[in-house]
Amino acid sequence: MSIHISAQKGEIAKTVLLAGDPLRAKYIADNYLQDVLLVSQTRNAFYYTGTYKGKPVTVGASGMGCPSIGIYSYELFTEYEVDTIIRIGTCGAYTTKLKLFDLVNVDYAASESTFAKYAWGIKDSCIRHQGKAFKTIKKTATELNIALKNCNIHSSDIFYRKDSKTPKVATANKCLAVEMEAFSLFANALHLGKTAATLLTVSDIIPTHERITADQRETALQPMMVLALEAVMKL
Ligand code: HPA
């Protein structure tokens, strides 16, 4: 038991997929996993442990933003001996070079967040994915013939803002898209010597205001879920 996750020790697999939304974690457990056990529901942040093609995996919720995923990933890494966390989420594209439904494997996450500095004394505003999961995801995508791009992304604290200009930290670090969690996940993994990757589906194109609809979301996210689970098999 940790503060924000009520699973018993041993009830969380070595590899965890983290979605922002608890109901997306439930969807993955319901549709892709066998032998599923709901191991935590503190704050309705559901965590399910099961198997995918025989391989143990936990899927759970990170909540939104760097502070929230910072808490869950830290407790998973330190209280449950988790080796690898793969975040699966959505992002907004800053450029029309990315299209709706594109899948992105995150190389570096850049952020104005003070999380890494004040938590761990890491001064960089740009932190890379950690360990081998990124490469495993890339290789798995090639094998499964799933189109996958890799790029840097901006982990922002801000979803709504008055100024629609792309923020400086994003242009300075060649970030093609924005989400809100990868930076603190990567910072925790860097500090703790763990493995972390982030796989994103482009859900909106910021300059053109195109976005996938709520109805499209469930099916739109399926290639990402399959890719993440198939990559877990190889970790
Ligand atoms: N901003 C931040 N996070 C996001 C966005 C966005 O536009 N789209 C999907 N996640």
PDB file of all heavy atoms in Angstrom, residues 126-165:
ATOM      1  N   CYS A 126      14.517  19.923 -20.676  1.00  0.00           N
ATOM      2  CA  CYS A 126      14.202  18.934 -21.706  1.00  0.00           C
ATOM      3  C   CYS A 126      14.755  17.589 -21.228  1.00  0.00           C
ATOM      4  O   CYS A 126      15.956  17.472 -20.976  1.00  0.00           O
ATOM      5  CB  CYS A 126      14.910  19.405 -22.980  1.00  0.00           C
ATOM      6  SG  CYS A 126      14.211  18.757 -24.485  1.00  0.00           S
ATOM      7  N   ILE A 127      13.894  16.613 -21.023  1.00  0.00           N
ATOM      8  CA  ILE A 127      14.336  15.316 -20.478  1.00  0.00           C
ATOM      9  C   ILE A 127      13.916  14.213 -21.439  1.00  0.00           C
ATOM     10  O   ILE A 127      12.795  14.201 -21.958  1.00  0.00           O
ATOM     11  CB  ILE A 127      13.745  15.062 -19.064  1.00  0.00           C
ATOM     12  CG1 ILE A 127      14.162  16.190 -18.115  1.00  0.00           C
ATOM     13  CG2 ILE A 127      14.217  13.716 -18.519  1.00  0.00           C
ATOM     14  CD1 ILE A 127      13.614  16.039 -16.695  1.00  0.00           C
ATOM     15  N   ARG A 128      14.864  13.263 -21.664  1.00  0.00           N
ATOM     16  CA  ARG A 128      14.622  12.203 -22.634  1.00  0.00           C
ATOM     17  C   ARG A 128      13.830  11.040 -22.016  1.00  0.00           C
ATOM     18  O   ARG A 128      13.862  10.841 -20.797  1.00  0.00           O
ATOM     19  CB  ARG A 128      15.974  11.685 -23.116  1.00  0.00           C
ATOM     20  CG  ARG A 128      15.878  11.007 -24.453  1.00  0.00           C
ATOM     21  CD  ARG A 128      17.228  10.737 -25.064  1.00  0.00           C
ATOM     22  NE  ARG A 128      17.066  10.598 -26.508  1.00  0.00           N
ATOM     23  CZ  ARG A 128      18.021  10.212 -27.321  1.00  0.00           C
ATOM     24  NH1 ARG A 128      19.221   9.951 -26.859  1.00  0.00           N
ATOM     25  NH2 ARG A 128      17.782  10.112 -28.615  1.00  0.00           N
ATOM     26  N   HIS A 129      13.180  10.261 -22.893  1.00  0.00           N
ATOM     27  CA  HIS A 129      12.638   8.964 -22.477  1.00  0.00           C
ATOM     28  C   HIS A 129      13.775   8.195 -21.813  1.00  0.00           C
ATOM     29  O   HIS A 129      14.947   8.464 -22.109  1.00  0.00           O
ATOM     30  CB  HIS A 129      12.110   8.195 -23.695  1.00  0.00           C
ATOM     31  CG  HIS A 129      13.203   7.763 -24.629  1.00  0.00           C
ATOM     32  ND1 HIS A 129      13.922   6.596 -24.434  1.00  0.00           N
ATOM     33  CD2 HIS A 129      13.742   8.361 -25.702  1.00  0.00           C
ATOM     34  CE1 HIS A 129      14.833   6.486 -25.366  1.00  0.00           C
ATOM     35  NE2 HIS A 129      14.762   7.555 -26.159  1.00  0.00           N
ATOM     36  N   GLN A 130      13.475   7.238 -20.959  1.00  0.00           N
ATOM     37  CA  GLN A 130      14.524   6.531 -20.216  1.00  0.00           C
ATOM     38  C   GLN A 130      14.488   5.035 -20.512  1.00  0.00           C
ATOM     39  O   GLN A 130      13.408   4.449 -20.570  1.00  0.00           O
ATOM     40  CB  GLN A 130      14.341   6.757 -18.703  1.00  0.00           C
ATOM     41  CG  GLN A 130      14.449   8.223 -18.277  1.00  0.00           C
ATOM     42  CD  GLN A 130      15.844   8.803 -18.488  1.00  0.00           C
ATOM     43  OE1 GLN A 130      16.837   8.218 -18.053  1.00  0.00           O
ATOM     44  NE2 GLN A 130      15.919   9.924 -19.189  1.00  0.00           N
ATOM     45  N   GLY A 131      15.661   4.455 -20.670  1.00  0.00           N
ATOM     46  CA  GLY A 131      15.765   3.003 -20.844  1.00  0.00           C
ATOM     47  C   GLY A 131      15.382   2.565 -22.243  1.00  0.00           C
ATOM     48  O   GLY A 131      15.342   3.355 -23.179  1.00  0.00           O
ATOM     49  N   LYS A 132      15.063   1.258 -22.342  1.00  0.00           N
ATOM     50  CA  LYS A 132      14.923   0.663 -23.672  1.00  0.00           C
ATOM     51  C   LYS A 132      13.500   0.657 -24.236  1.00  0.00           C
ATOM     52  O   LYS A 132      13.282   0.223 -25.367  1.00  0.00           O
ATOM     53  CB  LYS A 132      15.473  -0.766 -23.649  1.00  0.00           C
ATOM     54  CG  LYS A 132      14.663  -1.698 -22.767  1.00  0.00           C
ATOM     55  CD  LYS A 132      15.181  -3.123 -22.831  1.00  0.00           C
ATOM     56  CE  LYS A 132      14.320  -4.013 -21.965  1.00  0.00           C
ATOM     57  NZ  LYS A 132      14.679  -5.390 -21.908  1.00  0.00           N
ATOM     58  N   ALA A 133      12.522   1.119 -23.469  1.00  0.00           N
ATOM     59  CA  ALA A 133      11.124   0.979 -23.918  1.00  0.00           C
ATOM     60  C   ALA A 133      10.863   1.717 -25.231  1.00  0.00           C
ATOM     61  O   ALA A 133      10.140   1.217 -26.101  1.00  0.00           O
ATOM     62  CB  ALA A 133      10.170   1.468 -22.823  1.00  0.00           C
ATOM     63  N   PHE A 134      11.454   2.906 -25.381  1.00  0.00           N
ATOM     64  CA  PHE A 134      11.275   3.690 -26.614  1.00  0.00           C
ATOM     65  C   PHE A 134      11.673   2.852 -27.839  1.00  0.00           C
ATOM     66  O   PHE A 134      10.937   2.773 -28.818  1.00  0.00           O
ATOM     67  CB  PHE A 134      12.121   4.970 -26.515  1.00  0.00           C
ATOM     68  CG  PHE A 134      12.202   5.797 -27.770  1.00  0.00           C
ATOM     69  CD1 PHE A 134      11.311   6.839 -27.991  1.00  0.00           C
ATOM     70  CD2 PHE A 134      13.187   5.552 -28.726  1.00  0.00           C
ATOM     71  CE1 PHE A 134      11.402   7.619 -29.144  1.00  0.00           C
ATOM     72  CE2 PHE A 134      13.278   6.327 -29.877  1.00  0.00           C
ATOM     73  CZ  PHE A 134      12.384   7.362 -30.090  1.00  0.00           C
ATOM     74  N   LYS A 135      12.861   2.238 -27.742  1.00  0.00           N
ATOM     75  CA  LYS A 135      13.366   1.431 -28.866  1.00  0.00           C
ATOM     76  C   LYS A 135      12.507   0.204 -29.093  1.00  0.00           C
ATOM     77  O   LYS A 135      12.271  -0.214 -30.229  1.00  0.00           O
ATOM     78  CB  LYS A 135      14.811   0.968 -28.571  1.00  0.00           C
ATOM     79  CG  LYS A 135      15.838   1.869 -29.181  1.00  0.00           C
ATOM     80  CD  LYS A 135      17.200   1.168 -29.210  1.00  0.00           C
ATOM     81  CE  LYS A 135      18.276   2.201 -29.509  1.00  0.00           C
ATOM     82  NZ  LYS A 135      19.509   1.964 -28.763  1.00  0.00           N
ATOM     83  N   THR A 136      12.057  -0.396 -28.003  1.00  0.00           N
ATOM     84  CA  THR A 136      11.202  -1.581 -28.123  1.00  0.00           C
ATOM     85  C   THR A 136       9.896  -1.218 -28.814  1.00  0.00           C
ATOM     86  O   THR A 136       9.399  -1.971 -29.667  1.00  0.00           O
ATOM     87  CB  THR A 136      10.927  -2.177 -26.722  1.00  0.00           C
ATOM     88  OG1 THR A 136      12.173  -2.400 -26.080  1.00  0.00           O
ATOM     89  CG2 THR A 136      10.135  -3.460 -26.800  1.00  0.00           C
ATOM     90  N   ILE A 137       9.332  -0.075 -28.466  1.00  0.00           N
ATOM     91  CA  ILE A 137       8.088   0.386 -29.102  1.00  0.00           C
ATOM     92  C   ILE A 137       8.322   0.612 -30.587  1.00  0.00           C
ATOM     93  O   ILE A 137       7.519   0.197 -31.438  1.00  0.00           O
ATOM     94  CB  ILE A 137       7.573   1.679 -28.408  1.00  0.00           C
ATOM     95  CG1 ILE A 137       7.096   1.377 -26.991  1.00  0.00           C
ATOM     96  CG2 ILE A 137       6.476   2.336 -29.237  1.00  0.00           C
ATOM     97  CD1 ILE A 137       6.859   2.602 -26.126  1.00  0.00           C
ATOM     98  N   LYS A 138       9.447   1.247 -30.898  1.00  0.00           N
ATOM     99  CA  LYS A 138       9.767   1.548 -32.299  1.00  0.00           C
ATOM    100  C   LYS A 138       9.891   0.263 -33.133  1.00  0.00           C
ATOM    101  O   LYS A 138       9.323   0.132 -34.214  1.00  0.00           O
ATOM    102  CB  LYS A 138      11.089   2.340 -32.316  1.00  0.00           C
ATOM    103  CG  LYS A 138      11.394   2.967 -33.629  1.00  0.00           C
ATOM    104  CD  LYS A 138      12.592   3.880 -33.534  1.00  0.00           C
ATOM    105  CE  LYS A 138      12.974   4.226 -34.959  1.00  0.00           C
ATOM    106  NZ  LYS A 138      14.033   5.158 -35.070  1.00  0.00           N
ATOM    107  N   LYS A 139      10.618  -0.702 -32.572  1.00  0.00           N
ATOM    108  CA  LYS A 139      10.844  -1.976 -33.255  1.00  0.00           C
ATOM    109  C   LYS A 139       9.514  -2.738 -33.414  1.00  0.00           C
ATOM    110  O   LYS A 139       9.230  -3.311 -34.470  1.00  0.00           O
ATOM    111  CB  LYS A 139      11.822  -2.795 -32.392  1.00  0.00           C
ATOM    112  CG  LYS A 139      12.358  -4.028 -33.020  1.00  0.00           C
ATOM    113  CD  LYS A 139      13.633  -4.483 -32.287  1.00  0.00           C
ATOM    114  CE  LYS A 139      13.989  -5.895 -32.658  1.00  0.00           C
ATOM    115  NZ  LYS A 139      13.416  -6.909 -31.753  1.00  0.00           N
ATOM    116  N   THR A 140       8.705  -2.711 -32.368  1.00  0.00           N
ATOM    117  CA  THR A 140       7.412  -3.400 -32.401  1.00  0.00           C
ATOM    118  C   THR A 140       6.509  -2.801 -33.477  1.00  0.00           C
ATOM    119  O   THR A 140       5.824  -3.530 -34.203  1.00  0.00           O
ATOM    120  CB  THR A 140       6.731  -3.319 -31.017  1.00  0.00           C
ATOM    121  OG1 THR A 140       7.648  -3.769 -30.025  1.00  0.00           O
ATOM    122  CG2 THR A 140       5.462  -4.153 -30.964  1.00  0.00           C
ATOM    123  N   ALA A 141       6.521  -1.479 -33.591  1.00  0.00           N
ATOM    124  CA  ALA A 141       5.699  -0.802 -34.604  1.00  0.00           C
ATOM    125  C   ALA A 141       6.125  -1.227 -36.004  1.00  0.00           C
ATOM    126  O   ALA A 141       5.277  -1.503 -36.863  1.00  0.00           O
ATOM    127  CB  ALA A 141       5.809   0.709 -34.437  1.00  0.00           C
ATOM    128  N   THR A 142       7.423  -1.301 -36.218  1.00  0.00           N
ATOM    129  CA  THR A 142       7.930  -1.731 -37.533  1.00  0.00           C
ATOM    130  C   THR A 142       7.458  -3.150 -37.833  1.00  0.00           C
ATOM    131  O   THR A 142       6.947  -3.429 -38.919  1.00  0.00           O
ATOM    132  CB  THR A 142       9.482  -1.660 -37.551  1.00  0.00           C
ATOM    133  OG1 THR A 142       9.862  -0.351 -37.146  1.00  0.00           O
ATOM    134  CG2 THR A 142      10.034  -1.956 -38.934  1.00  0.00           C
ATOM    135  N   GLU A 143       7.607  -4.027 -36.854  1.00  0.00           N
ATOM    136  CA  GLU A 143       7.213  -5.430 -37.047  1.00  0.00           C
ATOM    137  C   GLU A 143       5.715  -5.573 -37.322  1.00  0.00           C
ATOM    138  O   GLU A 143       5.305  -6.427 -38.095  1.00  0.00           O
ATOM    139  CB  GLU A 143       7.570  -6.248 -35.796  1.00  0.00           C
ATOM    140  CG  GLU A 143       9.054  -6.561 -35.711  1.00  0.00           C
ATOM    141  CD  GLU A 143       9.452  -7.125 -34.346  1.00  0.00           C
ATOM    142  OE1 GLU A 143       8.570  -7.501 -33.556  1.00  0.00           O
ATOM    143  OE2 GLU A 143      10.669  -7.155 -34.090  1.00  0.00           O
ATOM    144  N   LEU A 144       4.913  -4.742 -36.673  1.00  0.00           N
ATOM    145  CA  LEU A 144       3.452  -4.851 -36.831  1.00  0.00           C
ATOM    146  C   LEU A 144       2.928  -3.972 -37.958  1.00  0.00           C
ATOM    147  O   LEU A 144       1.720  -3.891 -38.176  1.00  0.00           O
ATOM    148  CB  LEU A 144       2.750  -4.461 -35.524  1.00  0.00           C
ATOM    149  CG  LEU A 144       3.015  -5.347 -34.317  1.00  0.00           C
ATOM    150  CD1 LEU A 144       2.321  -4.785 -33.081  1.00  0.00           C
ATOM    151  CD2 LEU A 144       2.535  -6.772 -34.576  1.00  0.00           C
ATOM    152  N   ASN A 145       3.869  -3.285 -38.649  1.00  0.00           N
ATOM    153  CA  ASN A 145       3.460  -2.408 -39.742  1.00  0.00           C
ATOM    154  C   ASN A 145       2.527  -1.290 -39.276  1.00  0.00           C
ATOM    155  O   ASN A 145       1.586  -0.922 -39.972  1.00  0.00           O
ATOM    156  CB  ASN A 145       2.786  -3.261 -40.829  1.00  0.00           C
ATOM    157  CG  ASN A 145       3.224  -2.817 -42.197  1.00  0.00           C
ATOM    158  OD1 ASN A 145       3.968  -1.838 -42.322  1.00  0.00           O
ATOM    159  ND2 ASN A 145       2.760  -3.501 -43.218  1.00  0.00           N
ATOM    160  N   ILE A 146       2.793  -0.790 -38.066  1.00  0.00           N
ATOM    161  CA  ILE A 146       2.027   0.342 -37.530  1.00  0.00           C
ATOM    162  C   ILE A 146       2.864   1.605 -37.753  1.00  0.00           C
ATOM    163  O   ILE A 146       4.031   1.643 -37.361  1.00  0.00           O
ATOM    164  CB  ILE A 146       1.739   0.152 -36.019  1.00  0.00           C
ATOM    165  CG1 ILE A 146       0.841  -1.073 -35.781  1.00  0.00           C
ATOM    166  CG2 ILE A 146       1.103   1.403 -35.413  1.00  0.00           C
ATOM    167  CD1 ILE A 146       0.618  -1.423 -34.312  1.00  0.00           C
ATOM    168  N   ALA A 147       2.274   2.602 -38.404  1.00  0.00           N
ATOM    169  CA  ALA A 147       3.006   3.854 -38.660  1.00  0.00           C
ATOM    170  C   ALA A 147       3.251   4.574 -37.337  1.00  0.00           C
ATOM    171  O   ALA A 147       2.326   4.747 -36.538  1.00  0.00           O
ATOM    172  CB  ALA A 147       2.215   4.737 -39.606  1.00  0.00           C
ATOM    173  N   LEU A 148       4.504   4.945 -37.099  1.00  0.00           N
ATOM    174  CA  LEU A 148       4.873   5.595 -35.834  1.00  0.00           C
ATOM    175  C   LEU A 148       5.908   6.664 -36.116  1.00  0.00           C
ATOM    176  O   LEU A 148       6.901   6.404 -36.795  1.00  0.00           O
ATOM    177  CB  LEU A 148       5.438   4.531 -34.877  1.00  0.00           C
ATOM    178  CG  LEU A 148       5.952   5.007 -33.526  1.00  0.00           C
ATOM    179  CD1 LEU A 148       4.807   5.525 -32.647  1.00  0.00           C
ATOM    180  CD2 LEU A 148       6.671   3.864 -32.788  1.00  0.00           C
ATOM    181  N   LYS A 149       5.668   7.864 -35.597  1.00  0.00           N
ATOM    182  CA  LYS A 149       6.655   8.933 -35.746  1.00  0.00           C
ATOM    183  C   LYS A 149       7.360   9.102 -34.416  1.00  0.00           C
ATOM    184  O   LYS A 149       6.786   8.786 -33.380  1.00  0.00           O
ATOM    185  CB  LYS A 149       5.949  10.235 -36.131  1.00  0.00           C
ATOM    186  CG  LYS A 149       5.209  10.094 -37.446  1.00  0.00           C
ATOM    187  CD  LYS A 149       4.597  11.369 -37.939  1.00  0.00           C
ATOM    188  CE  LYS A 149       4.110  11.132 -39.353  1.00  0.00           C
ATOM    189  NZ  LYS A 149       3.268  12.203 -39.862  1.00  0.00           N
ATOM    190  N   ASN A 150       8.615   9.585 -34.445  1.00  0.00           N
ATOM    191  CA  ASN A 150       9.161  10.004 -33.162  1.00  0.00           C
ATOM    192  C   ASN A 150       9.537  11.473 -33.214  1.00  0.00           C
ATOM    193  O   ASN A 150       9.983  11.972 -34.235  1.00  0.00           O
ATOM    194  CB  ASN A 150      10.306   9.108 -32.687  1.00  0.00           C
ATOM    195  CG  ASN A 150      11.436   9.053 -33.642  1.00  0.00           C
ATOM    196  OD1 ASN A 150      11.481   8.173 -34.495  1.00  0.00           O
ATOM    197  ND2 ASN A 150      12.336  10.001 -33.545  1.00  0.00           N
ATOM    198  N   CYS A 151       9.266  12.152 -32.135  1.00  0.00           N
ATOM    199  CA  CYS A 151       9.598  13.586 -32.070  1.00  0.00           C
ATOM    200  C   CYS A 151       9.662  14.028 -30.610  1.00  0.00           C
ATOM    201  O   CYS A 151       9.373  13.252 -29.710  1.00  0.00           O
ATOM    202  CB  CYS A 151       8.583  14.415 -32.845  1.00  0.00           C
ATOM    203  SG  CYS A 151       6.938  14.479 -32.150  1.00  0.00           S
ATOM    204  N   ASN A 152      10.079  15.273 -30.432  1.00  0.00           N
ATOM    205  CA  ASN A 152      10.054  15.870 -29.099  1.00  0.00           C
ATOM    206  C   ASN A 152       8.670  16.486 -28.885  1.00  0.00           C
ATOM    207  O   ASN A 152       8.034  16.939 -29.829  1.00  0.00           O
ATOM    208  CB  ASN A 152      11.099  16.975 -28.987  1.00  0.00           C
ATOM    209  CG  ASN A 152      12.496  16.455 -29.214  1.00  0.00           C
ATOM    210  OD1 ASN A 152      12.718  15.243 -29.241  1.00  0.00           O
ATOM    211  ND2 ASN A 152      13.439  17.359 -29.385  1.00  0.00           N
ATOM    212  N   ILE A 153       8.262  16.499 -27.633  1.00  0.00           N
ATOM    213  CA  ILE A 153       6.970  17.111 -27.322  1.00  0.00           C
ATOM    214  C   ILE A 153       7.114  18.070 -26.142  1.00  0.00           C
ATOM    215  O   ILE A 153       8.065  17.985 -25.367  1.00  0.00           O
ATOM    216  CB  ILE A 153       5.867  16.063 -27.019  1.00  0.00           C
ATOM    217  CG1 ILE A 153       6.291  15.123 -25.892  1.00  0.00           C
ATOM    218  CG2 ILE A 153       5.509  15.263 -28.261  1.00  0.00           C
ATOM    219  CD1 ILE A 153       5.795  15.474 -24.559  1.00  0.00           C
ATOM    220  N   HIS A 154       6.152  18.951 -26.037  1.00  0.00           N
ATOM    221  CA  HIS A 154       6.079  19.903 -24.934  1.00  0.00           C
ATOM    222  C   HIS A 154       5.133  19.340 -23.876  1.00  0.00           C
ATOM    223  O   HIS A 154       4.013  18.956 -24.194  1.00  0.00           O
ATOM    224  CB  HIS A 154       5.535  21.227 -25.505  1.00  0.00           C
ATOM    225  CG  HIS A 154       5.307  22.309 -24.496  1.00  0.00           C
ATOM    226  ND1 HIS A 154       4.446  23.356 -24.735  1.00  0.00           N
ATOM    227  CD2 HIS A 154       5.827  22.521 -23.265  1.00  0.00           C
ATOM    228  CE1 HIS A 154       4.452  24.163 -23.684  1.00  0.00           C
ATOM    229  NE2 HIS A 154       5.273  23.680 -22.777  1.00  0.00           N
ATOM    230  N   SER A 155       5.628  19.236 -22.643  1.00  0.00           N
ATOM    231  CA  SER A 155       4.739  18.882 -21.525  1.00  0.00           C
ATOM    232  C   SER A 155       4.352  20.183 -20.844  1.00  0.00           C
ATOM    233  O   SER A 155       5.162  20.773 -20.131  1.00  0.00           O
ATOM    234  CB  SER A 155       5.454  17.974 -20.523  1.00  0.00           C
ATOM    235  OG  SER A 155       5.716  16.713 -21.070  1.00  0.00           O
ATOM    236  N   SER A 156       3.140  20.616 -21.082  1.00  0.00           N
ATOM    237  CA  SER A 156       2.697  21.921 -20.573  1.00  0.00           C
ATOM    238  C   SER A 156       1.879  21.765 -19.305  1.00  0.00           C
ATOM    239  O   SER A 156       1.250  20.730 -19.087  1.00  0.00           O
ATOM    240  CB  SER A 156       1.854  22.602 -21.653  1.00  0.00           C
ATOM    241  OG  SER A 156       1.428  23.865 -21.204  1.00  0.00           O
ATOM    242  N   ASP A 157       1.891  22.792 -18.476  1.00  0.00           N
ATOM    243  CA  ASP A 157       0.981  22.836 -17.323  1.00  0.00           C
ATOM    244  C   ASP A 157      -0.347  23.466 -17.719  1.00  0.00           C
ATOM    245  O   ASP A 157      -1.262  23.548 -16.905  1.00  0.00           O
ATOM    246  CB  ASP A 157       1.586  23.686 -16.194  1.00  0.00           C
ATOM    247  CG  ASP A 157       2.679  22.946 -15.445  1.00  0.00           C
ATOM    248  OD1 ASP A 157       2.812  21.724 -15.631  1.00  0.00           O
ATOM    249  OD2 ASP A 157       3.402  23.604 -14.679  1.00  0.00           O
ATOM    250  N   ILE A 158      -0.393  23.955 -18.943  1.00  0.00           N
ATOM    251  CA  ILE A 158      -1.532  24.800 -19.348  1.00  0.00           C
ATOM    252  C   ILE A 158      -2.305  24.170 -20.495  1.00  0.00           C
ATOM    253  O   ILE A 158      -1.717  23.829 -21.529  1.00  0.00           O
ATOM    254  CB  ILE A 158      -1.018  26.196 -19.767  1.00  0.00           C
ATOM    255  CG1 ILE A 158      -0.288  26.855 -18.591  1.00  0.00           C
ATOM    256  CG2 ILE A 158      -2.163  27.078 -20.270  1.00  0.00           C
ATOM    257  CD1 ILE A 158       0.621  27.982 -19.004  1.00  0.00           C
ATOM    258  N   PHE A 159      -3.593  24.004 -20.314  1.00  0.00           N
ATOM    259  CA  PHE A 159      -4.453  23.553 -21.408  1.00  0.00           C
ATOM    260  C   PHE A 159      -5.153  24.762 -22.035  1.00  0.00           C
ATOM    261  O   PHE A 159      -5.193  24.897 -23.249  1.00  0.00           O
ATOM    262  CB  PHE A 159      -5.486  22.543 -20.882  1.00  0.00           C
ATOM    263  CG  PHE A 159      -6.250  21.850 -21.981  1.00  0.00           C
ATOM    264  CD1 PHE A 159      -5.750  20.716 -22.597  1.00  0.00           C
ATOM    265  CD2 PHE A 159      -7.473  22.346 -22.399  1.00  0.00           C
ATOM    266  CE1 PHE A 159      -6.455  20.082 -23.621  1.00  0.00           C
ATOM    267  CE2 PHE A 159      -8.186  21.721 -23.419  1.00  0.00           C
ATOM    268  CZ  PHE A 159      -7.667  20.589 -24.031  1.00  0.00           C
ATOM    269  N   TYR A 160      -5.687  25.651 -21.194  1.00  0.00           N
ATOM    270  CA  TYR A 160      -6.368  26.866 -21.682  1.00  0.00           C
ATOM    271  C   TYR A 160      -5.457  28.062 -21.465  1.00  0.00           C
ATOM    272  O   TYR A 160      -4.946  28.245 -20.368  1.00  0.00           O
ATOM    273  CB  TYR A 160      -7.684  27.079 -20.926  1.00  0.00           C
ATOM    274  CG  TYR A 160      -8.644  25.925 -21.107  1.00  0.00           C
ATOM    275  CD1 TYR A 160      -8.893  25.031 -20.073  1.00  0.00           C
ATOM    276  CD2 TYR A 160      -9.278  25.713 -22.325  1.00  0.00           C
ATOM    277  CE1 TYR A 160      -9.762  23.962 -20.242  1.00  0.00           C
ATOM    278  CE2 TYR A 160     -10.152  24.649 -22.506  1.00  0.00           C
ATOM    279  CZ  TYR A 160     -10.389  23.781 -21.461  1.00  0.00           C
ATOM    280  OH  TYR A 160     -11.242  22.732 -21.634  1.00  0.00           O
ATOM    281  N   ARG A 161      -5.236  28.862 -22.497  1.00  0.00           N
ATOM    282  CA  ARG A 161      -4.423  30.068 -22.360  1.00  0.00           C
ATOM    283  C   ARG A 161      -4.943  31.158 -23.286  1.00  0.00           C
ATOM    284  O   ARG A 161      -5.579  30.868 -24.295  1.00  0.00           O
ATOM    285  CB  ARG A 161      -2.946  29.765 -22.636  1.00  0.00           C
ATOM    286  CG  ARG A 161      -2.676  29.249 -24.056  1.00  0.00           C
ATOM    287  CD  ARG A 161      -1.178  29.142 -24.343  1.00  0.00           C
ATOM    288  NE  ARG A 161      -0.574  27.947 -23.775  1.00  0.00           N
ATOM    289  CZ  ARG A 161       0.581  27.942 -23.105  1.00  0.00           C
ATOM    290  NH1 ARG A 161       1.241  29.061 -22.915  1.00  0.00           N
ATOM    291  NH2 ARG A 161       1.074  26.821 -22.639  1.00  0.00           N
ATOM    292  N   LYS A 162      -4.640  32.413 -22.957  1.00  0.00           N
ATOM    293  CA  LYS A 162      -5.190  33.512 -23.770  1.00  0.00           C
ATOM    294  C   LYS A 162      -4.430  33.678 -25.081  1.00  0.00           C
ATOM    295  O   LYS A 162      -4.991  34.107 -26.076  1.00  0.00           O
ATOM    296  CB  LYS A 162      -5.221  34.823 -22.972  1.00  0.00           C
ATOM    297  CG  LYS A 162      -3.876  35.407 -22.624  1.00  0.00           C
ATOM    298  CD  LYS A 162      -4.037  36.778 -21.948  1.00  0.00           C
ATOM    299  CE  LYS A 162      -2.685  37.351 -21.557  1.00  0.00           C
ATOM    300  NZ  LYS A 162      -2.815  38.631 -20.855  1.00  0.00           N
ATOM    301  N   ASP A 163      -3.140  33.295 -25.064  1.00  0.00           N
ATOM    302  CA  ASP A 163      -2.279  33.544 -26.210  1.00  0.00           C
ATOM    303  C   ASP A 163      -2.128  32.244 -27.003  1.00  0.00           C
ATOM    304  O   ASP A 163      -1.704  31.237 -26.446  1.00  0.00           O
ATOM    305  CB  ASP A 163      -0.921  34.014 -25.671  1.00  0.00           C
ATOM    306  CG  ASP A 163      -0.026  34.531 -26.769  1.00  0.00           C
ATOM    307  OD1 ASP A 163      -0.348  34.323 -27.951  1.00  0.00           O
ATOM    308  OD2 ASP A 163       1.003  35.141 -26.423  1.00  0.00           O
ATOM    309  N   SER A 164      -2.463  32.244 -28.284  1.00  0.00           N
ATOM    310  CA  SER A 164      -2.420  30.995 -29.046  1.00  0.00           C
ATOM    311  C   SER A 164      -1.057  30.740 -29.696  1.00  0.00           C
ATOM    312  O   SER A 164      -0.875  29.739 -30.387  1.00  0.00           O
ATOM    313  CB  SER A 164      -3.518  30.994 -30.113  1.00  0.00           C
ATOM    314  OG  SER A 164      -3.279  32.046 -31.015  1.00  0.00           O
ATOM    315  N   LYS A 165      -0.108  31.641 -29.469  1.00  0.00           N
ATOM    316  CA  LYS A 165       1.244  31.448 -30.013  1.00  0.00           C
ATOM    317  C   LYS A 165       1.909  30.214 -29.389  1.00  0.00           C
ATOM    318  O   LYS A 165       1.737  29.951 -28.205  1.00  0.00           O
ATOM    319  CB  LYS A 165       2.103  32.674 -29.653  1.00  0.00           C
ATOM    320  CG  LYS A 165       2.590  33.404 -30.875  1.00  0.00           C
ATOM    321  CD  LYS A 165       3.550  34.564 -30.641  1.00  0.00           C
ATOM    322  CE  LYS A 165       4.315  34.626 -29.362  1.00  0.00           C
ATOM    323  NZ  LYS A 165       4.156  35.847 -28.600  1.00  0.00           N
TER     324      LYS A 165
END
